[in-house]
Amino acid sequence: MGFVRSDESKKMEIEELKRMLVACAAVHRRKDEEEFKGARNNINNVPKEIGGDGEEKLVCVTSGVSFLGLAIVNCLLLRGYAVRILIDHRDREELRELMRRTCSNSVSVVTAKLTEADDLTAAFEGCRGVFHTSALADPAGLSGYSKSMAEVEVKTTENVMKACARASSVRNCVLTSSLSACIWRDGPLQDLSSPVINHESWSDESLCIDKKLWYALGKLKSEKNAWKLAEENDFKLATICPGLVTGPDFIQRNSTATIAYLKGAQEMYADSLLATVDVTRLAEAHLCVYEAMNKTAFGRYICFDRVIASEDEAENLAKEMGMPASKICGNAHDHIPCPFELSNRKLTSLMSSTLGRCYTESLSE
């Protein structure tokens, strides 16, 4: 869910995509050889049809070269999907040449502006599903996440939802929101309906404005508008609200979203609400929800695999990001747990029932 990409982070994303596509090409070559010999490997093999109607299993990933976007694309390829990566014009020629030389049958690139609903409609046409990772670039190239960026994100998400409704082929959309859209609630604990924060919890908009939590505000308003548009246009939507997204080199490759998410980190830590999720596990959750949308999946899902609950954990996280631990846990030496509780039981249950024990073990309740 990266928002501002430095030249270094952009190069890292392109290099990661290159490695992924080369690996994809190797998988396809092995598959072709096995089929020629009459052998079939059923691991990760998914039929190329949906619902028996003969349509190719094609989905679109917006900002497909972002930190999360790449992980979702890789996960989809391993499950046998054909993937259309939506990018801006800056990366177009390099990526298209890369597709030509690797696994062009499984991955294609389309250029579209997230600010133009008509562009997005054309980009989505032919795709059965859309993964909107809520990634966008700050045109000013500034670090951080401002109030104006929150407004741009809301408008961008509205455009994606309108395009999903207009594109005749699109049936389902999975939107990446944020745990920050759930945890910022106003008032003392005793006045709140429940100390448990789960998929039914929403942050308070006025509180986000008062605290200048623009990242949380952008995610909150984007998600609420998305649900309104999905209901008005009668198409299926599911949203995933992840904690701080981590993984290899996450601070370099996802710097703006990381910094923006951690505004208010001391308060989140004190309330036992500072949670993280590995980018690969988050991508798997996206795919799991998408594949279950025609059966049991619905609504919102909270996704995390760790809650930062001790100073040692806070120090380790701060070390990964190259910042003082005090930025996360303050100057307190003894952390007194708050009675708030994060729950992702809904997602854990879904992944347990649809994709097996390996996912259950990777997600905490």
Side-chain angles (χ1 to χ4, degrees), residues 145-352:
Y145 190 98
S146 63
K147 183 178 181 180
S148 62
M149 285 186 71
E151 295 169 353
V152 171
E153 178 155 2
V154 172
K155 182 60 178 177
T156 295
T157 301
E158 288 180 355
N159 289 335
V160 170
M161 295 302 107
K162 290 177 181 177
C164 285
R166 294 173 185 172
S168 61
S169 60
V170 174
R171 298 293 181 269
N172 302 329
C173 176
V174 178
L175 169 69
T176 309
S177 182
S178 172
L179 185 59
S180 64
C182 308
I183 62 175
W184 293 103
R185 302 188 295 175
D186 202 5
L189 178 62
Q190 60 268 24
D191 293 341
L192 299 176
S193 58
S194 171
V196 176
I197 292 180
N198 58 20
H199 58 279
E200 296 180 345
S201 304
W202 290 92
S203 291
D204 184 87
E205 185 173 332
S206 60
L207 179 65
C208 292
I209 294 173
D210 290 343
K211 291 180 174 290
K212 295 181 170 56
L213 299 167
W214 307 128
Y215 181 82
L217 180 67
K219 295 299 183 183
L220 173 66
K221 294 182 66 175
S222 293
E223 189 184 352
K224 284 193 171 183
N225 285 357
W227 280 114
K228 179 182 178 182
L229 289 168
E231 182 178 351
E232 290 175 353
N233 292 281
D234 195 29
F235 72 90
K236 290 185 178 180
L237 174 69
T239 60
I240 297 180
C241 302
L244 177 66
V245 183
T246 60
D249 302 312
F250 75 94
I251 187 59
Q252 288 80 23
R253 297 171 60 194
N254 203 34
S255 57
T256 302
T258 299
I259 294 169
Y261 187 96
L262 287 174
K263 187 172 184 180
Q266 293 183 11
E267 191 171 342
M268 285 189 281
Y269 173 76
D271 289 341
S272 299
L273 297 177
L274 180 56
T276 66
V277 59
D278 180 81
V279 67
T280 300
R281 293 171 181 170
L282 178 56
E284 291 167 349
H286 278 71
L287 179 55
C288 174
V289 169
Y290 175 77
E291 292 190 334
M293 285 180 73
N294 290 328
K295 299 177 182 177
T296 58
F298 64 94
R300 307 172 81 210
Y301 293 85
I302 282 182
C303 184
F304 65 91
D305 52 27
R306 180 177 58 154
V307 175
I308 306 301
S310 69
E311 282 195 60
D312 286 343
E313 291 174 315
E315 289 172 359
N316 289 336
L317 179 61
K319 185 177 180 181
E320 288 185 82
M321 296 184 295
M323 65 168 55
S326 60
K327 293 288 186 180
I328 296 176
C329 56
N331 297 317
H333 295 289
D334 297 315
H335 173 54
I336 302 175
C338 179
F340 281 113
E341 177 188 352
L342 282 176
S343 173
N344 61 0
R345 188 180 301 275
K346 182 182 177 183
L347 180 61
T348 301
S349 176
L350 176 67
M351 298 186 86
S352 175

Side-chain angles (χ1 to χ4, degrees), residues 66-128:
S66 67
F67 185 50
L68 174 59
L70 279 173
I72 292 175
V73 170
N74 189 47
C75 193
L76 287 164
L77 291 174
L78 290 174
R79 289 284 290 172
Y81 286 83
V83 183
R84 181 178 293 170
I85 298 176
L86 191 149
I87 60 171
D88 60 37
H89 69 281
R90 291 171 297 178
D91 304 324
R92 178 179 57 191
E93 295 306 322
E94 182 175 358
L95 288 180
R96 282 185 173 168
E97 173 61 19
L98 197 58
M99 305 305 158
R100 187 187 67 79
R101 291 187 282 110
T102 54
C103 50
S104 57
N105 290 334
S106 296
V107 184
S108 59
V109 175
V110 62
T111 304
K113 294 181 179 179
L114 291 172
T115 54
E116 300 291 339
D118 289 342
D119 273 12
L120 291 169
T121 302
F124 294 164
E125 199 63 60
C127 296
R128 180 54 65 93

